[in-house]
Amino acid sequence: MMMLEKQEVTLEKGLLDFMEKWKDKPGKEIMILHKIQEVYGYVPRKVAMEVSRVMGIPLAKIYGIITFYHLFKLQKPGKNQISVCMGTACYLKGGNDIIQEIEDLIGVAVNTTSEDGHFSLEVVRCVGCCGLAPVMSINGKVYGNVQKSELPKILGEYSGKEANANG
Amino acid sequence: MKKYIIVWEPDSQKGSPVNNALLKILNEKQLAEKMEIIRSPFIGFTSSGAILRVMPDNLIYTGFRVEDLEGIVNATLAGDRVDKFISSYDNKFLPVEEKDPLSRQFKIVLRNVGYLDPESIEEYISRGGYKALEKALFELGRDGVIAEMKASGLRGRGGAGFPTGLKWELTKKEAGEIKYAICNADEGDPGAYMDRAVLEGDPHSVVEGMIIGGFAVGCTQGFVYIRAEYPLAIERLEKALKDAREMGLLGKDILGSGFDFDIELRWGAGAFVCGEETALIASIEGKRGNPRPRPPFPSVSGLWEKPTFINNVETWANVPVIIEKGGKWMGSIGTEKSKGTKVFAVTGKVKNPGLVEVPMGTTIREIVYDICGGIKDNKNFKAVQTGGPSGGVIAEKYLDMPVDYESLQSIGSIMGSGGLIVMDEDDCMVDVNKFYLQFSVDESCGKCMPCRIGGKQILEILEKISKGNGEMTDIDKIYSISNAMQKASLCALGQTTPNPVLSSLRYFEDEYLAHIKDKKCYTGKCKDLVQYTVIPEKCIGCGLCATRCPVKCITGEKRKPYLIDTKACIKCGECYNVCKFDAVKRG
Ligand SMILES: Cc1cc2nc3c(=O)[nH]c(=O)nc-3n(C[C@H](O)[C@H](O)[C@H](O)COP(=O)(O)O)c2cc1C
Ligand code: SF4
Ligand code: SF4
Ligand code: SF4
Ligand code: FES
């Protein structure tokens, strides 16, 4: 195997501590990826390479895992992450329509990020509030019983705030 | 003494107003020292409004408004009560022995959920927690524990229903110093949250169960494989493990018995197939979660090739009660071959969705109508789906069938892990099955052909039917592809992918035929097969539909029949839903 060169990236301290704690544990790979994603919001290529080098985990193995599990992301998510539930209860109560409406409203397709990096849209499976169906969340805040007609207002809250913050 | 207010709000209540109001009052009055608010996923019964349980007084409040909360908080602090909101529901703590006549529930697994602070090991102990562990270690011994488990008749709650005592015995018998105990907390069925409720509401019950199981089988290490999507469950479980360690209930030389056992968490990462036991093991080992053929079964060669046994969260939570009360006691509850209780997450078109725990043998009618209040908006019942994407539908004629493993299987569904989805007249079987198939196709790991290709083919046929291009030969094709998948798929995911379609064909074939022959979807869900028109004789010309139509394709003059421009109509169904005179026809 080709030896990876040291990457020009300094790993965040929390991640380094975590790697130190887990380094001798079998089966550490997935837990470390979770930590990377917690720190960076996704798994940046440089970080994956550096972790591979430091921990001695083949890069192919790391990418094999990332591509197998739905939760790991290779692309940087938007500033505002919209997740729409498509579990059974939400599907029955019109989750599909919610997704379509959001796509139309902000021009972002499922699993992509808007060009300005402002919003990203993803579909999730059951967030465990099925009685509230249809359910969506933005940056972790859960919205239940979502009506299509409420979407412009809900999304508006985020575009406004962020736009100001960005100057 | 510190007071706890445990809050349950119906899922249908938006934004947890009661919980938020209580937190605000606490904040304003600076009561954090004296009182704590705990949200609970379950409180003993369901209701259309919020429920509060005040502990340790054990008072139950219902029927209050947000404005009344301050009064309740003040009374609680003063050691008093607000009588007019005290529930008629029996306020005494219900011992697990009895089926509660009012709520019709029977709590074994959820015995503590909604009664205690899940982050307090002291409270768990004060309610009899870890007594079963003591009994196991010092009274029963390893064989005694297994004998009780076998006598209880407990079967796995993760779906397959394998006898738990037997599984433990098989793993115990294997040679070898190192063995592993695993808790399957991957809860993959979309639309179900029983395990989440147990882990968030009573994590110690699972921890205690695992220590007892580890002791009986002879393990030194246990793992909980838990969904990363459940952060609160992870947090509470971590706390429970830490507290148990500090008290000498976990770790080296547990309670001075000489038995060493510890538990660690491993997170899932959003792959449904990792709920399958061989895939789960691969995932804990840090690999892609591909299933592998069995045998060898995990009891022979599991995690890191050591003997391993895996049980579901709910299975584990049963263990302390069985050990404490004896296997015979549990064996007296339920039906001949299905013992004890089952927790169901009832969702879909039902008035009071929520968790229910009922004795095996309770009928679907009791669950849907008596406990959960029946169908929402007075619509007609259509079917109940159990077992999620591996299960099937239960048609109306089986409403009075007692729920147990065998009876559900005999009608083409399965017990599954406890998701129970209620469908009404507005749900289309072709459409619902498109959803299940899409789920299974997305989640197939792709390792074997029948599953990878077969699932996709059935999905394409369903899509074709829902677009109005179905042919009669398509039904035969579904049967033959299903047959191949059931016989030749490597793991149960592929083998069970056709189940929902097959079971709906069994009970709702006419609906498929309407799509194929008449090119009609009477529920309006398959948009290519429906048209909305105004029936002039019935229309009084109120104009409501026209104001509500999102694309403004309904026109007319007041007090004269309105007209829908079918070319512009996007078939959203709004006009059909709002017309009070049944003047809009869907068909
Ligand atoms: C595709 C698939 C997904 C599964 N998902 C789960 C799950 O989420 N939770 C679970 O407890 N069991 C799940 N199972 C069943 C497990 O493989 C296993 O039978 C179970 O965890 C054993 O525990 P029990 O005997 O206590 O039920 C799944 C099985 C398959 C084939
Ligand atoms: S049946 Fe499906 S999920 Fe199971 S191993 Fe084969 S491809 Fe993977
Ligand atoms: S709502 Fe019904 S009655 Fe009123 S205009 Fe429309 S179709 Fe006619
Ligand atoms: S179905 Fe929707 S779009 Fe069509 S006429 Fe009725 S309200 Fe308008
Ligand atoms: S199905 Fe959407 S929250 Fe469960």
Side-chain angles (χ1 to χ4, degrees):
Chain A
M1 196 188 82
M2 192 187 72
M3 276 304 288
L4 289 173
E5 304 220 340
K6 177 152 176 26
Q7 297 295 307
E8 326 130 33
V9 52
T10 327
L11 298 183
E12 204 246 12
K13 170 128 191 337
L15 175 59
L16 284 170
D17 292 348
F18 191 88
M19 284 159 60
E20 179 61 29
K21 209 174 100 194
W22 281 79
K23 71 173 194 287
D24 295 324
K25 292 201 189 193
K28 57 188 175 283
E29 293 81 357
I30 294 175
M31 297 304 282
I32 290 174
L33 281 169
H34 273 299
K35 187 71 190 177
I36 295 177
Q37 188 145 306
E38 181 194 311
V39 172
Y40 299 94
Y42 69 117
V43 185
R45 183 155 182 92
K46 280 193 172 162
V47 174
M49 288 167 87
E50 181 65 3
V51 169
S52 158
R53 191 186 67 83
V54 177
M55 306 286 290
I57 308 169
L59 195 60
K61 178 163 191 194
I62 294 186
Y63 277 89
I65 295 171
I66 297 175
T67 51
F68 184 88
Y69 295 95
H70 301 312
L71 238 53
F72 296 127
K73 298 191 178 90
L74 285 168
Q75 247 94 49
K76 191 175 174 163
K79 280 203 194 70
N80 299 293
Q81 280 191 61
I82 310 173
S83 313
V84 182
C85 178
M86 276 290 265
T88 318
C90 291
Y91 180 78
L92 287 182
K93 297 214 175 146
N96 240 338
D97 296 343
I98 301 293
I99 292 176
Q100 246 176 29
E101 187 76 8
I102 295 177
E103 287 181 336
D104 290 350
L105 281 169
I106 56 176
V108 177
V110 170
N111 288 335
T112 62
T113 301
S114 62
E115 262 169 41
D116 57 3
H118 203 78
F119 281 114
S120 52
L121 175 62
E122 62 174 1
V123 167
V124 293
R125 300 279 190 211
C126 191
V127 287
C129 338
C130 320
L132 279 172
V135 173
M136 65 180 232
S137 72
I138 303 184
N139 305 337
K141 180 173 176 196
V142 175
Y143 295 84
N145 290 323
V146 179
Q147 314 270 329
K148 261 196 315 195
S149 54
E150 302 175 319
L151 286 170
K153 189 166 155 264
I154 297 177
L155 294 172
E157 281 172 35
Y158 293 86
S159 39
K161 233 184 288 172
E162 284 297 318
N164 289 339
N166 294 338
Chain B
M1 195 172 182
K2 194 167 179 176
K3 304 276 187 182
Y4 294 89
I5 299 188
I6 300 172
V7 185
W8 179 89
E9 291 185 72
D11 283 341
S12 53
Q13 198 148 302
K14 273 192 184 188
S16 322
V18 172
N19 186 65
N20 293 342
L22 282 169
L23 289 176
K24 196 165 155 235
I25 295 171
L26 238 64
N27 220 343
E28 279 166 5
K29 296 181 174 252
Q30 300 190 345
L31 296 174
E33 303 267 294
K34 297 195 185 119
M35 190 178 271
E36 206 171 308
I37 309 296
I38 300 161
R39 280 174 78 169
S40 177
F42 182 77
I43 208 157
F45 58 110
T46 57
S47 157
S48 53
I51 307 171
L52 302 182
R53 184 193 298 280
V54 176
M55 296 297 274
D57 316 39
N58 201 9
L59 299 171
I60 292 188
Y61 290 105
T62 53
F64 50 83
R65 290 164 307 164
V66 170
E67 301 86 85
D68 303 318
L69 288 170
E70 191 160 348
I72 295 178
V73 167
N74 288 338
T76 302
L77 286 172
D80 202 355
R81 53 200 266 171
V82 184
D83 281 322
K84 70 176 162 171
F85 303 124
I86 292 278
S87 164
S88 59
Y89 180 79
D90 197 342
N91 269 327
K92 71 176 190 298
F93 159 57
L94 284 159
V96 278
E97 283 95 321
E98 276 166 67
K99 178 167 172 178
D100 167 29
L102 254 172
S103 71
R104 289 177 185 253
Q105 304 204 33
F106 192 125
K107 284 170 281 167
I108 295 177
V109 173
L110 299 175
R111 60 192 176 276
N112 290 324
V113 180
Y115 282 97
L116 50 66
D117 177 358
E119 296 190 12
S120 159
I121 191 170
E122 289 84 5
E123 282 195 29
Y124 181 72
I125 290 171
S126 74
R127 286 176 59 89
Y130 290 107
K131 268 214 313 250
L133 175 61
E134 257 186 88
K135 183 170 170 187
L137 292 175
F138 302 109
E139 227 177 276
L140 294 176
R142 298 173 60 191
D143 293 323
V145 169
I146 292 199
E148 292 297 338
M149 290 304 293
K150 285 173 79 175
S152 75
L154 179 70
R155 296 170 63 175
R157 301 296 192 238
F162 191 82
T164 307
L166 183 61
K167 189 186 277 186
W168 293 18
E169 187 174 55
L170 289 172
T171 319
K172 176 172 182 270
K173 276 193 188 143
E174 283 301 315
E177 284 290 288
I178 301 175
K179 295 176 186 175
Y180 296 107
I182 296 178
C183 170
N184 188 344
D186 199 39
E187 189 147 75
D189 176 0
Y193 55 101
M194 303 71 51
D195 296 348
R196 194 197 73 172
V198 174
L199 294 167
E200 287 182 7
D202 192 20
H204 283 287
S205 66
V206 176
V207 173
E208 184 178 5
M210 286 186 76
I211 306 172
I212 294 171
F215 167 69
V217 173
C219 309
T220 50
Q221 184 67 50
F223 290 96
V224 180
Y225 185 77
I226 186 166
R227 289 187 86 188
E229 292 92 332
Y230 287 172
L232 184 60
I234 291 175
E235 191 187 311
R236 288 187 172 165
L237 203 50
E238 289 279 15
K239 171 100 171 38
L241 293 173
K242 181 168 157 280
D243 291 349
R245 256 178 231 123
E246 278 169 11
M247 286 207 158
L249 294 160
L250 195 63
K252 292 261 175 256
D253 190 20
I254 292 174
L255 295 174
S257 65
F259 166 57
D260 301 339
F261 184 73
D262 212 327
I263 300 175
E264 285 187 22
L265 302 194
R266 289 293 184 275
W267 299 8
F272 173 66
V273 71
C274 288
E276 195 278 336
E277 50 189 26
T278 60
L280 185 152
I281 287 171
S283 187
I284 294 186
E285 289 173 349
K287 304 183 197 146
R288 290 163 70 97
N290 287 316
R292 62 154 178 80
R294 298 176 305 179
F297 286 92
S299 59
V300 178
S301 173
L303 190 57
W304 294 299
E305 276 134 47
K306 304 292 183 215
T308 302
F309 69 117
I310 300 174
N311 281 121
N312 163 263
V313 170
E314 191 179 329
T315 313
W316 286 117
N318 269 290
V319 172
V321 179
I322 291 173
I323 295 306
E324 202 193 321
K325 295 192 174 292
K328 240 167 105 189
W329 172 79
M330 169 77 110
S332 67
I333 304 159
T335 64
E336 194 197 333
K337 289 190 177 154
S338 305
K339 299 299 186 190
T341 61
K342 181 76 196 86
V343 182
F344 289 101
V346 187
T347 60
K349 308 292 179 62
V350 66
K351 252 185 213 135
N352 300 326
L355 287 183
V356 304
E357 180 172 2
V358 290
M360 293 282 186
T362 303
T363 66
I364 301 278
R365 186 187 300 280
E366 281 179 273
I367 297 174
V368 173
Y369 285 89
D370 300 339
I371 301 178
C372 296
I375 308 296
K376 223 177 141 181
D377 302 331
N378 295 318
K379 299 253 176 166
N380 291 317
F381 175 93
K382 180 161 201 172
V384 154
Q385 168 107 7
T386 56
S390 331
V393 285
I394 300 170
E396 189 164 12
K397 63 177 166 185
Y398 295 117
L399 269 176
D400 292 306
M401 196 192 66
V403 170
D404 69 12
Y405 291 95
E406 276 73 27
S407 57
L408 285 173
Q409 211 155 25
S410 73
I411 60 165
S413 187
I414 56 167
M415 173 76 77
S417 57
L420 199 158
I421 291 168
V422 181
M423 302 180 203
D424 70 10
E425 56 187 288
D426 291 340
D427 294 314
C428 164
M429 281 297 151
V430 178
D431 182 65
V432 168
N433 279 292
K434 256 170 44 189
F435 168 78
Y436 283 123
L437 253 298
Q438 183 73 56
F439 180 88
S440 297
V441 167
D442 289 348
E443 298 298 335
S444 162
C445 81
K447 184 169 169 176
C448 64
M449 261 235 311
C451 168
R452 188 177 67 230
I453 301 186
K456 208 155 175 34
Q457 284 175 338
I458 299 181
L459 177 62
E460 278 165 8
I461 295 177
L462 291 179
E463 272 165 356
K464 187 176 147 201
I465 294 176
S466 79
K467 287 208 156 67
N469 303 324
E471 299 157 62
M472 283 309 290
T473 50
D474 285 333
I475 304 275
D476 299 331
K477 277 190 203 147
I478 293 180
Y479 282 118
S480 64
I481 300 167
S482 300
N483 192 15
M485 290 180 76
Q486 287 173 327
K487 291 218 174 91
S489 295
L490 177 64
C491 85
L493 192 152
Q495 288 155 14
T496 59
T497 291
N499 284 5
V501 191
L502 293 178
S503 103
S504 66
L505 274 171
R506 184 160 159 189
Y507 300 110
F508 298 96
E509 194 184 14
D510 50 345
E511 211 171 305
Y512 282 84
L513 296 185
H515 283 71
I516 294 172
K517 285 189 175 155
D518 314 340
K519 311 289 176 205
K520 288 280 178 221
C521 173
Y522 293 106
T523 66
K525 282 276 151 66
C526 301
K527 297 203 167 148
D528 291 319
L529 300 185
V530 66
Q531 271 208 347
Y532 292 89
T533 44
V534 174
I535 309 168
E537 298 78 45
K538 285 192 175 174
C539 175
I540 63 147
C542 69
L544 182 61
C545 57
T547 42
R548 291 292 188 82
C549 174
V551 292
K552 301 282 169 241
C553 69
I554 311 180
T555 48
E557 259 177 68
K558 283 262 147 134
R559 284 191 285 280
K560 287 196 185 139
Y562 275 55
L563 190 71
I564 294 176
D565 175 359
T566 45
K567 283 216 185 69
C569 167
I570 57 164
K571 301 176 183 178
C572 68
E574 186 70 14
C575 51
Y576 177 83
N577 288 328
V578 298
C579 177
K580 295 189 185 74
F581 305 93
D582 291 332
V584 178
K585 182 167 157 247
R586 180 167 78 184

